[in-house]
């Protein structure tokens, strides 16, 4: 009898699952983000193209409106020499200080006026008088009382920024849905808890709308004030460039002001989203 050797037994290897398609998914996400960014910046790119081609084609006088490339070259020269950083630092310090003081003072006052009716009745006539007085109209008053230094400019920014924050805070508190208030009271919430859990969260979007408006005012009013009496700042840069007919430098300063305003607005939008995560975006694509 002949022994027949058994065939070797091969080990069973479990099938390897296919690797997840991470790269295509990541690539698709990046393409989606790039498409949205391109869609949002389409108008800015169109404006830049018109600005570049119109002076070169003779549609406008390039002496008064130089091409965008020349303006960007002047902006880079100001940045390289350090002048732009000095002016941005001076304006940024004044603007942020005034905005911060306005936020600290106007939001608590607006919450009190909106929540406490006797205080609103007492202060309403005074608010109506000053809310209709332009901040720039009071610039000579601030200069006469506080001088030409930093105090007058910061005080003017505080005055200009306080009104949109104050009025929007009052409107936010008074505009809370009465049904929410009645429901909270029926659940036994006292005045403090009602204000903390219902009134304040519901007023956050309106308050941030006022803060965003104040952020724009803090730059615009400050630039106008710096054109009158300052030795540094973006307003001084624009005014000085105009008087010396350095037109590219003037437009470089204007572009910088617009860019700073855009950055401040985006930061405030991010802060609004952080403090109002309960809101639902109802906009359609």
């Amino acid at each position: 009898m002949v022994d027949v050797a058994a065939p070797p037994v091969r080990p069973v290897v479990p099938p390897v699952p296919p690797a997840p398609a991470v790269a295509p998914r990541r690539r698709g996400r990046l393409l989606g983000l790039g498409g949205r960014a391109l869609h949002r910046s389409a108008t800015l790119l169109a404006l830049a193209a018109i600005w570049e081609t119109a002076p070169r084609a003779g549609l406008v006088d390039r002496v008064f409106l130089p091409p965008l490339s020349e303006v960007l070259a002047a902006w880079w020269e100001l940045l390289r020499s350090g002048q732009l950083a000095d002016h941005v630092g001076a304006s940024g310090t004044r603007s942020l200080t005034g905005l911060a003081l306005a936020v600290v003072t106007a939001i608590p006052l607006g919450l009190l006026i909106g929540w406490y009716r006797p205080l609103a009745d007492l202060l309403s006539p005074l608010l109506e008088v000053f809310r209709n007085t332009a901040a720039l109209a009071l610039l000579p008053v601030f200069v006469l009382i506080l001088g030409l230094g930093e105090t007058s400019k910061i005080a003017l920014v505080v005055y200009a920024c306080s009104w949109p924050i104050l009025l929007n805070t009052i409107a936010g508190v008074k505009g809370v849905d009465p049904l929410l208030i009645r429901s909270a009271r029926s659940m036994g919430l006292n005045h403090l808890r009602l204000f903390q859990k219902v009134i304040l969260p519901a007023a956050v979007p309106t308050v941030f709308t006022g803060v965003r408006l104040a952020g724009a005012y803090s730059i615009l009013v400050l630039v106008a004030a710096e054109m009158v009496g300052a030795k540094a700042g973006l307003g001084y840069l624009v005014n000085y460039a105009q008087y010396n007919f350095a037109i590219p430098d003037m437009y470089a300063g204007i572009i910088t002001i617009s860019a700073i305003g855009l950055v401040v607005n985006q930061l405030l939008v991010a802060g609004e989203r952080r403090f109002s995560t309960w809101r639902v975006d109802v906009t359609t694509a």
Side-chain angles (χ1 to χ4, degrees), residues 104-115 119 123 127 166 169-170:
V104 169
T105 56
I107 290 181
L109 182 60
L111 294 174
L112 287 176
I113 294 175
W115 181 246
L119 184 61
L123 296 180
L127 297 179
L166 179 65
T169 303
I170 296 173

Side-chain angles (χ1 to χ4, degrees), residues 123-137:
L123 296 180
S124 290
L126 187 64
L127 297 179
E128 290 298 327
V129 171
F130 282 101
R131 66 178 291 186
N132 295 303
T133 305
L136 293 179

Side-chain angles (χ1 to χ4, degrees), residues 141-279:
V141 178
F142 283 100
V143 171
L144 287 175
I145 296 176
L146 302 175
L148 287 172
E150 300 297 315
T151 306
S152 61
K153 298 177 182 60
I154 294 176
L156 184 66
V157 173
V158 172
Y159 178 85
C161 294
S162 296
W163 295 109
I165 299 175
L166 179 65
L167 297 177
N168 278 274
T169 303
I170 296 173
V173 173
K174 291 184 176 181
V176 177
D177 190 355
L179 183 60
L180 292 176
I181 298 177
R182 288 196 296 267
S183 301
R185 284 176 175 170
S186 66
M187 296 175 65
L189 268 71
N190 56 27
H191 287 283
L192 181 60
R193 298 291 292 176
L194 176 65
F195 184 81
Q196 179 184 1
K197 296 297 184 180
V198 178
I199 303 297
L200 192 58
V204 164
T206 310
V207 172
F208 265 95
T209 299
V211 175
R212 289 171 60 185
L213 290 173
Y217 291 169
S218 68
I219 299 173
L220 299 177
V221 173
L222 178 63
V223 167
E226 290 174 344
M227 290 182 177
V228 176
K231 295 299 181 183
L234 292 173
Y236 170 78
L237 172 63
V238 172
N239 199 39
Y240 180 82
Q242 180 204 5
Y243 278 126
N244 290 274
F245 214 72
I247 304 300
D249 291 352
M250 182 187 73
Y251 283 108
I254 295 173
I255 289 177
T256 305
I257 294 170
S258 301
I260 291 176
L262 180 62
V263 171
V264 171
N265 181 71
Q266 292 301 315
L267 291 176
L268 293 176
V269 168
E272 179 181 358
R273 292 174 180 172
R274 170 64 179 83
F275 287 100
S276 58
T277 54
W278 51 268
R279 296 181 66 190

